[in-house]
Amino acid sequence: MKTNRPISIWLSLILVSISWLFSLHLYTHPDYYWTFILIGLAIILSSLYFRKEQVEFKNTRYLFCTIPLFIASIILPFPYNLGVILLTLSLLLLPLPRFHPLFFSLLLIGQILIIQGLIVYPYMCWTAKFQQCDLLTPLIYPILKFLGLPVSLSQDTIFIETMRELYEFPTDWDKLALLPFLNILIGGVVILRFFAVSRKITTIGFFALTTALYLIIRYVLMLLIFLYLMYFVPDTEESSKVFIFWNPLITLMSFLPFLFLCSFFKLKANIIPAQFGSLFFDKNRIKGSILLGLAVFFIIGYFGFHDPGISKQGRVLIDEAHSDWEKTTKKYDTLWYGQDSGYNYYCIADYLSYYYKLERNFGKITPQLLANYDILILKIPTRPFSKEEISAIVKFVRCGGGLYLIGEHTNVFGSSAYLNAIAREFGFHFRYDCLFDIEKKFEQLYRPPKILPHPIVANMPCFLFATSCSIEPDHCFSRNIILSGGLKSLNIDYSSSNFYPQVNDLSKMDFGAFIQNMGVQYGQGRVVGFTDSTSFSNFSAFIPGKPELLLGTMNWLNKKNFLWWLNYLFLIAGLTLFIFGILSFRKKKVGGGLILMTTVLFMFAAGMLFWTLINKWNYPLPKPHTKPVEICFEARHSDLKLPIEGFVKNEQSSFEIFYQWVLRLGYFPVVGDIREKPKVVVIINPTKKWTSKDISQVKDYIASGGKVLLLDNPSNATSTSNSLLSAFGVEINHQQTINSTYLYAQPFNSYYPLGVSALSIKGGSPIFFSSTQEPIGVRVKGVKEGKGSLVVLSFSDRFANTGMGLVESNIPNEELWQVYQLEFEIFKGLVAGNL
């Protein structure tokens, strides 16, 4: 039955294809509002196409398919589960003839979304390695020349001269909008396969050619629009309209003219079999579906399973001979301040010594030296490695050693060039660029995928990068540890002392997905390349996400390859099952498609979950051989502001320096919960409700010897401190604000500058006093039979960044020095049990 509205189904395809740009962080941050709008419109438009379609429904057994589909939709993360959800909903509508147009619409859109979702990760991997498509540049250049533009071509880059400046345009996959193109191509093939009047392969080929032609025409038009928009930018502004290439709304509008070309492909609507469920129990169909489902399961195992390896002794060597940056040799203590103290790796080296046997190298790297170690760390080298040293390192890895290469942006100090002499031996290299979030620039937050993350990041909550470079793999045998989207790359600037470029949008810059952490298995050993050395500097290393990445990396490197052959066994098993499954469908019968789709989707989701859990079970975070002293900053109730997912914009509410200064005492700050039983728990400006269970946990913790430091201040209008403190006979009087220039700390018998407002405290044993002798700090000891203590201070603003010098690189004056000493004395007293 022909329809007079074929344009509606093509428009729905374009909307669905572009919706991925709103739901993924490929360019801009996700905007799910637009995702649902576009998919909703697509469903409505495709329903118009099926407005007269109905199917004869006789067998309710098909509804059983909704159970495995529902399970799969729960396992798969958003937005990859959207197609499965729509497919499940379509089956629920099948028994209702009135809603059959919607049924067909959901069924079609769901299938298209499922297939499109399969290409997202491969696309990101491809463009992260091959940012540019130089083969298309010679096709685009003559078109621009024909249009009369002042263009030239050099080294696969198009140069367009204007009165404002000379614009460079290398032909990038992301500027071409390759992902929407592939989505439309895939969806169009599905539509033509079922709807086309002529279903010959030539029809599909002609559609692919038409789509590719539009890809080039669209790119040329986008270049013209860019030049037109730049005409209105004043010469005094450092502004560029490159955003038009990644803005999803503009991308959507740029693909709407494609509807005209789609209208030449004639469609019909009689594409769904009239009988549903007649062959639900056909043995060949069920057998074939199970075989193909198992094939998918094992093929996922080939890509997703990580060799658990054989644990080594954990002997770590940090090389200091080739680097003058991020030293580990000078102690980060209470006396050394300034920038050099922050850009220092002493704390992570100290931290690792609680988990591994750690030593430093100050001489030449030789095979004899490396024979005594299991992991070698090379960090931001400022001197080259000799050929003999490189040969020794390669042999070390081949024989089972672990190598950690830590680089930095823009080849600063020549570090990337020196590291690449080694990294290229293992199939990758560090680029001479720096990466920025497309929208937030200096705030790049990475969250590990929920399904099949690399074991190194599987236990990492999130990771806030400083500024990294990117990694380019030289072959396909390496594995992405951190593959990030939503980034733009600016190349090295040799006119700057640290090669750091000005952060402006440029027509020549790449954007999209980039690799920032890569792992390679080589021989019996392993190599990890990481691109942001600043993340492990003292001032950043213990922000949540950083310790987990460090320990996860060391744990992975401390393994010798053992079951590497299992991946190939899974691949062989998957391909064998796939062949037998295909043979089971050799006869063309009605009714097997849905069973096959349900089985494969369920096994796909089950495989994703299974191999994720297997990897996580094989790679837990390592346990320390000696427990470090951890100061736990409680997050469930505290209004704790730290740069975990982004910068804290209000320095008055940030406690970053207070948190970091714990390291100067040889302790390690963590963000956690009292239930983890750390040495000391810090509660800052609590605003969340304390339940009776929460209060009991605090009492039990103190009774078992734990120490709690609670900080509050007069500006905390929603404070919940007293609901906890009442259980200990303590109350902060929020009606009595105290202004004092100094305080007296009785336990230390010293005076310290205050300079912020405080509150009077009732109950407990007063130990901190204002200049007017009002108690502004108390202690409660001996809860039940334990030796723990609760210390309450009502002047938390003194320890906010505004009271600690704003930035950690400051050289403290006399006042700051005394404030720092106050913090140190408090934590030393709590740890020692003297406070």
Side-chain angles (χ1 to χ4, degrees):
M1 176 176 61
K2 295 183 179 181
T3 177
N4 59 1
R5 295 187 183 178
I7 200 70
S8 64
I9 202 163
W10 290 116
L11 180 55
S12 68
L13 170 62
I14 292 175
L15 296 178
V16 166
S17 300
I18 303 300
S19 71
W20 289 97
L21 300 184
F22 290 97
S23 58
L24 298 170
H25 189 197
L26 181 59
Y27 306 125
T28 57
H29 289 263
D31 188 340
Y32 300 134
Y33 176 79
W34 277 102
T35 300
F36 292 121
I37 285 180
L38 294 184
I39 292 179
L41 287 174
I43 292 171
I44 294 171
L45 289 169
S46 55
S47 296
L48 294 176
Y49 182 82
F50 298 112
R51 66 194 183 282
K52 295 182 180 180
E53 278 294 305
Q54 286 193 1
V55 63
E56 186 177 349
F57 181 77
K58 294 181 177 180
N59 198 334
T60 56
R61 293 171 182 168
Y62 263 108
L63 294 176
F64 286 107
C65 292
T66 60
I67 299 174
L69 289 175
F70 176 73
I71 295 173
S73 69
I74 294 175
I75 294 174
L76 296 175
F78 185 87
Y80 302 98
N81 61 352
L82 271 176
V84 185
I85 292 172
L86 297 185
L87 189 60
T88 307
L89 292 174
S90 72
L91 295 182
L92 294 175
L93 294 176
L94 186 54
L96 307 173
R98 182 180 178 183
F99 294 98
H100 279 183
L102 183 57
F103 155 73
F104 286 119
S105 175
L106 293 172
L107 183 64
L108 175 66
I109 301 300
Q111 290 182 75
I112 291 175
L113 283 171
I114 289 168
I115 300 172
Q116 289 176 343
L118 295 176
I119 70 168
V120 171
Y121 185 76
Y123 171 82
M124 293 178 68
C125 293
W126 174 267
T127 55
K129 176 174 172 57
F130 304 105
Q131 290 284 342
Q132 299 177 4
C133 47
D134 297 333
L135 291 176
L136 292 181
T137 305
L139 298 177
I140 297 168
Y141 169 72
I143 299 175
L144 295 173
K145 195 77 173 177
F146 174 78
L147 294 174
L149 293 178
V151 296
S152 57
L153 178 64
S154 176
Q155 297 181 340
D156 298 311
T157 299
I158 293 174
F159 294 83
I160 305 177
E161 185 178 0
T162 68
M163 294 181 63
R164 180 185 176 90
E165 63 179 285
L166 182 67
Y167 295 105
E168 299 179 43
F169 281 99
T171 307
D172 302 336
W173 291 117
D174 293 291
K175 285 195 185 80
L176 282 168
L178 179 63
L179 182 61
F181 159 76
L182 292 175
N183 285 341
I184 291 172
L185 180 61
I186 289 171
V189 170
V190 173
I191 290 173
L192 293 174
R193 173 66 181 83
F194 291 119
F195 301 154
V197 173
S198 173
R199 302 183 188 179
K200 296 179 180 179
I201 191 68
T202 52
T203 303
I204 295 177
F206 183 63
F207 177 79
L209 183 62
T210 302
T211 311
L213 179 63
Y214 185 79
L215 183 74
I216 296 175
I217 295 173
R218 174 197 168 275
Y219 180 60
V220 171
L221 292 175
M222 292 297 289
L223 291 177
L224 295 176
I225 292 172
F226 171 82
L227 295 174
Y228 176 77
L229 292 176
M230 290 304 299
Y231 177 80
F232 296 98
V233 178
D235 294 337
T236 55
E237 289 187 19
E238 289 291 338
S239 177
S240 177
K241 303 301 180 181
V242 184
F243 72 89
I244 67 172
F245 292 99
W246 65 63
N247 184 284
L249 280 175
I250 295 176
T251 303
L252 170 61
M253 290 186 288
S254 69
F255 273 96
L256 291 180
F258 184 64
L259 289 171
F260 172 75
L261 298 178
C262 292
S263 63
F264 289 97
F265 294 90
K266 295 181 179 180
L267 305 179
K268 58 183 179 180
N270 54 335
I271 51 90
I272 304 294
Q275 298 290 332
F276 265 76
S278 58
L279 296 175
F280 184 83
F281 288 113
D282 179 81
K283 291 183 179 179
N284 285 334
R285 294 303 184 254
I286 294 176
K287 176 183 175 182
S289 298
I290 293 174
L291 289 174
L292 289 175
L294 289 173
V296 169
F297 181 88
F298 282 109
I299 290 174
I300 292 173
Y302 167 72
F303 289 104
F305 174 74
H306 289 265
D307 176 10
I310 300 174
S311 295
K312 297 178 288 189
Q313 298 178 51
R315 300 165 298 172
V316 179
L317 180 67
I318 298 181
D319 180 54
E320 291 288 354
H322 296 83
S323 178
D324 294 325
W325 189 246
E326 303 284 16
K327 305 291 285 186
T328 66
T329 50
K330 186 171 182 179
K331 187 176 182 180
Y332 189 65
D333 57 19
T334 61
L335 302 176
W336 180 33
Y337 296 90
Q339 179 173 290
D340 289 346
S341 70
Y343 283 97
N344 180 281
Y345 271 15
Y346 177 84
C347 291
I348 66 164
D350 186 32
Y351 188 63
L352 287 177
S353 67
Y354 287 90
Y355 292 83
Y356 303 96
K357 181 182 178 182
L358 185 140
E359 296 180 3
R360 296 165 176 83
N361 171 60
F362 299 96
K364 186 176 181 180
I365 297 175
T366 64
Q368 294 76 21
L369 173 70
L370 296 178
N372 300 314
Y373 299 96
D374 302 300
I375 301 174
L376 173 64
I377 300 177
L378 303 179
K379 54 176 182 61
I380 319 94
T382 55
R383 285 181 288 277
F385 298 86
S386 68
K387 291 183 178 179
E388 293 78 11
E389 288 177 313
I390 295 173
S391 177
I393 292 170
V394 172
K395 182 180 178 182
F396 166 71
V397 175
R398 186 186 300 116
C399 295
L403 176 63
Y404 197 9
L405 304 177
I406 304 177
E408 187 53 280
H409 61 75
T410 57
N411 191 30
V412 64
F413 312 127
S415 56
S416 295
Y418 302 142
L419 285 176
N420 283 343
I422 300 170
R424 289 186 185 276
E425 297 289 333
F426 304 106
F428 67 93
H429 63 274
F430 295 83
R431 289 172 173 156
Y432 298 174
D433 64 351
C434 52
L435 300 179
F436 303 92
D437 187 280
I438 284 179
E439 293 181 298
K440 296 186 177 181
K441 287 190 178 180
F442 300 103
E443 292 185 62
Q444 189 222 324
L445 180 67
Y446 170 79
R447 295 187 187 277
K450 295 179 180 179
I451 295 293
L452 285 183
H454 192 283
I456 286 178
V457 298
N459 296 289
M460 185 178 76
C462 61
F463 192 92
L464 184 65
F465 278 89
T467 302
S468 78
C469 65
S470 60
I471 289 178
E472 181 176 332
D474 298 324
H475 57 59
C476 59
F477 297 106
S478 53
R479 291 210 182 188
N480 302 327
I481 299 172
I482 295 181
L483 175 65
S484 303
L487 302 178
K488 55 188 176 186
S489 167
L490 292 174
N491 285 325
I492 185 172
D493 182 357
Y494 289 103
S495 65
S496 174
S497 60
N498 62 353
F499 304 155
Y500 198 92
Q502 293 186 355
V503 188
N504 296 320
D505 290 342
L506 303 175
S507 61
K508 65 180 179 180
M509 72 181 185
D510 298 325
F511 59 88
F514 295 88
I515 300 168
Q516 296 177 282
N517 202 358
M518 173 161 283
V520 177
Q521 292 178 254
Y522 182 88
Q524 291 183 298
R526 303 177 175 189
V527 181
V528 170
F530 181 63
T531 59
D532 188 8
S533 68
T534 306
S535 297
F536 294 137
S537 298
N538 289 342
F539 62 81
S540 175
F542 290 89
I543 297 297
K546 315 298 173 62
E548 292 85 354
L549 178 65
L550 178 65
L551 292 178
T553 302
M554 301 303 290
N555 186 36
W556 192 77
L557 290 173
N558 194 39
K559 305 277 189 178
K560 183 179 288 188
N561 297 328
F562 175 56
L563 297 177
W564 56 270
W565 49 270
L566 270 182
N567 295 75
Y568 298 99
L569 182 62
F570 294 150
L571 179 61
I572 294 171
L575 294 176
T576 303
L577 289 167
F578 178 79
I579 293 172
F580 281 106
I582 292 295
L583 292 176
S584 298
F585 282 86
R586 62 188 180 276
K587 294 182 180 181
K588 293 185 177 180
K589 291 185 178 181
V590 177
L594 184 58
I595 307 302
L596 172 62
M597 187 183 303
T598 301
T599 306
V600 169
L601 286 174
F602 177 75
M603 294 303 292
F604 178 82
M608 289 288 210
L609 179 61
F610 178 81
W611 298 116
T612 298
L613 296 176
I614 286 292
N615 292 335
K616 197 161 187 177
W617 183 74
N618 286 330
Y619 286 93
L621 287 179
K623 302 293 184 183
H625 57 72
T626 304
K627 188 171 178 59
V629 177
E630 292 184 331
I631 308 298
C632 174
F633 286 72
E634 197 265 2
R636 279 202 306 141
H637 302 86
S638 299
D639 185 23
L640 181 63
K641 296 291 194 305
L642 293 172
I644 299 174
E645 298 185 359
F647 300 138
V648 181
K649 295 178 174 55
N650 183 3
E651 294 291 348
Q652 191 170 353
S653 61
S654 175
F655 287 81
E656 181 181 357
I657 300 175
F658 182 70
Y659 179 89
Q660 179 190 331
W661 263 209
V662 168
L663 293 165
R664 294 184 175 277
L665 296 169
Y667 311 148
F668 299 98
V670 297
V671 175
D673 192 86
I674 199 168
R675 293 171 292 188
E676 298 164 9
K677 303 291 184 182
K679 189 75 174 180
V680 176
V681 172
V682 181
I683 304 169
I684 299 179
N685 299 338
T687 57
K688 307 296 190 304
K689 180 181 178 181
W690 294 87
T691 65
S692 57
K693 183 178 180 181
D694 295 335
I695 296 172
S696 295
Q697 288 173 347
V698 175
K699 294 176 72 173
D700 292 342
Y701 168 73
I702 295 175
S704 63
K707 317 297 190 305
V708 174
L709 172 64
L710 188 149
L711 303 172
D712 209 338
N713 69 78
S715 61
N716 186 9
T718 57
S719 172
T720 58
S721 293
N722 286 336
S723 60
L724 170 65
L725 297 178
S726 60
F728 301 92
V730 176
E731 180 185 1
I732 298 177
N733 186 357
H734 285 272
Q735 307 303 317
Q736 186 178 352
T737 300
I738 299 170
N739 295 305
S740 178
T741 56
Y742 66 89
L743 64 85
Y744 173 69
Q746 187 183 71
F748 319 132
N749 193 26
S750 297
Y751 291 90
Y752 298 93
L754 183 59
V756 297
S757 298
L759 295 168
S760 178
I761 306 176
K762 300 176 182 178
S765 302
I767 54 174
F768 289 83
F769 299 90
S770 69
S771 56
T772 57
Q773 298 301 308
E774 291 287 343
I776 56 175
V778 302
R779 174 179 58 200
V780 179
K781 299 200 72 167
V783 179
K784 295 183 180 178
E785 70 282 357
K787 299 181 180 179
S789 64
L790 167 66
V791 175
V792 183
L793 306 179
S794 65
F795 48 90
S796 65
D797 282 348
R798 179 73 264 190
F799 298 119
N801 279 7
T802 49
M804 299 283 282
L806 289 178
V807 293
E808 56 82 27
S809 58
N810 272 347
I811 303 294
N813 56 23
E814 181 61 28
E815 178 183 344
L816 278 181
W817 178 271
Q818 293 184 46
V819 175
Y820 294 169
Q821 300 310 307
L822 174 60
E823 177 184 350
F824 299 147
E825 292 298 331
I826 289 172
F827 280 117
K828 286 192 294 185
L830 287 169
V831 171
N834 301 325
L835 190 61

